[in-house]
Amino acid sequence: MGFSTARMPRLRTSWERLEESHHWYAIKANSNLKILQHLRKLGCGAVLVSGNELKLALHAGFDLTKCIFNGNGKILEDLVLAAQAGVFVNVDSEFDLENIVTAAKFAGRKVNVLLRINPDVDPQNSKFGIRNEKLQWFLDAVKAHPDELKLVGAHCHLGSTITKVDIFRDAAVLMVNYIDEIRAQGFEVDYLNIGGGLGIDYYHSGAVLPKPRDLIDTVRELVLSRNLNLIIEPGRSLIANICCLVNRVTGVKTNGTKNFIVIDGSMAELIRPSLYDAYQHIELVSPTPPDAEISTFDVVGPVCESADFLGKERQLPTPAKGTGLVVHDAGAYCMSMASTYNLKMRPPEYWVEEDGSVTKIRHGETFEDHIRFFEGL
Ligand code: LLP
């Protein structure tokens, strides 16, 4: 895996007049420690979905009071960590609220909570968030626990790979209406958390897609009109296109119908194509001579699964054995979703400075790492 600082995001975005507003980076997208430290230095808080992500955020030096713990299945043990650390917590369901109250009692500390609301047009299919028609139940439950819970805001997350900011504005309109309703009952609610979900140009089509700053611009006036602070939770849009997976061609074969480029990388390191049929742009490292014959290839890994592919029907010149092959835009949901299936150990990660110098920022895993799990049993 390789990351390029030259393409790291510049977060000096337009928070104008939104002073207490925040970029909270979704750690699940990429949890490399160096990346986290870098984003923290740029001013990000963090979006956490497990106790281990919370511990990692602490390790990376994040101010945990500028972090939020999201999730539909947060376990009590992790909620206690969050309560102790002063992390904001999203309320996702009735049982989640009960657990947050228990965690607050255990930690001896009031928890700042946001209600995760579903502005989704199709909430029936979402396993996340409260049932909006039960909003009053949640408000009463918060009122019933003044020593354990402080309601500070409302949260929503609209989905993934969103390419237009309009739907954030539509969602924000709905959300501020909910916030008006909540405030009308005496709650001092300060935060609107509009979630993450911005897409990137995976197809390298040259399309100019909205960036976090465009999202902020889209909702700024509405947020200001209610005197709210805005939180956004970008993951992919901060990190996806600064990284690529670097592979080596093991060989080229045909089955009579299809041609295959077999590489050393696979669904173990980068599962998005296999799992979602997602497109990741692929290029050979060596420049293609102008007269090179182009053929159609599936780019596949060595994993013992027919689903193991990185790209289908790609027009490429026939590479020689050992040629480098790059899968682009591997910064988000690739290494963080990698497995050791077929005992392919997770690869090292490298950081490329703007001057071209390269530093290792994660060790590659080894067979010995695997064997260690069985020692001393
Ligand atoms: N906030 C919440 C509540 C989320 O559920 C997510 C992502 C984010 C923020 C960050 O969203 P982003 O800006 O990265 O889209 N594995 C899938 C993506 C799963 C996203 C899950 N939630 C993929 O590879 O496309």
Side-chain angles (χ1 to χ4, degrees), residues 259-275:
N259 302 318
F260 299 95
I261 298 175
V262 185
I263 57 173
D264 55 357
S266 69
M267 67 186 289
E269 296 80 14
L270 203 160
I271 200 173
R272 299 189 69 258
S274 302
L275 192 57

Side-chain angles (χ1 to χ4, degrees), residues 88-267:
F88 282 38
V89 178
N90 240 350
V91 178
D92 188 86
S93 63
E94 292 83 344
F95 78 76
D96 196 37
L97 185 132
E98 274 170 32
N99 284 345
I100 299 167
V101 169
T102 309
K105 284 187 177 143
F106 192 87
R109 211 172 152 173
K110 204 188 271 200
V111 179
N112 287 325
V113 293
L114 287 85
L115 292 179
R116 178 160 178 174
I117 288 175
N118 263 310
D120 196 339
V121 279
D122 188 14
Q124 289 88 338
N125 284 327
S126 178
K127 68 168 182 166
F128 301 104
I130 66 167
R131 280 173 58 198
N132 298 353
E133 64 270 25
K134 290 204 72 185
L135 178 62
Q136 192 58 50
W137 184 93
F138 285 92
L139 297 180
D140 292 341
V142 173
K143 278 183 204 156
H145 294 99
D147 297 332
E148 289 84 21
L149 305 178
K150 178 170 177 357
L151 184 60
V152 296
H155 169 266
C156 65
H157 174 70
L158 305 182
S160 258
T161 59
I162 298 168
T163 53
K164 292 201 167 71
V165 280
D166 307 19
I167 75 159
F168 287 97
R169 190 182 308 116
D170 297 346
V173 168
L174 276 162
M175 292 299 287
V176 295
N177 288 341
Y178 280 117
I179 287 175
D180 289 346
E181 215 177 307
I182 295 169
R183 281 177 165 170
Q185 296 199 27
F187 290 99
E188 286 172 23
V189 169
D190 292 329
Y191 288 96
L192 169 61
N193 182 339
I194 200 85
L198 285 172
I200 62 145
D201 181 16
Y202 277 113
Y203 285 90
H204 289 208
S205 67
V208 181
L209 297 187
K211 302 218 161 29
R213 70 172 332 141
D214 302 307
L215 163 52
I216 297 163
D217 286 345
T218 307
V219 298
R220 175 186 286 99
E221 294 310 321
L222 190 59
V223 167
L224 284 168
S225 74
R226 298 304 203 282
N227 206 18
L228 285 163
N229 303 313
L230 179 69
I231 296 169
I232 61 169
E233 302 184 326
R236 188 188 322 266
S237 55
L238 291 188
I239 201 84
N241 66 2
I242 65 154
C243 166
C244 59
L245 175 67
V246 183
N247 309 270
R248 201 183 288 282
V249 173
T250 309
V252 173
K253 64 185 276 188
T254 179
N255 66 7
T257 323
K258 265 181 188 272
N259 302 318
F260 299 95
I261 298 175
V262 185
I263 57 173
D264 55 357
S266 69
M267 67 186 289

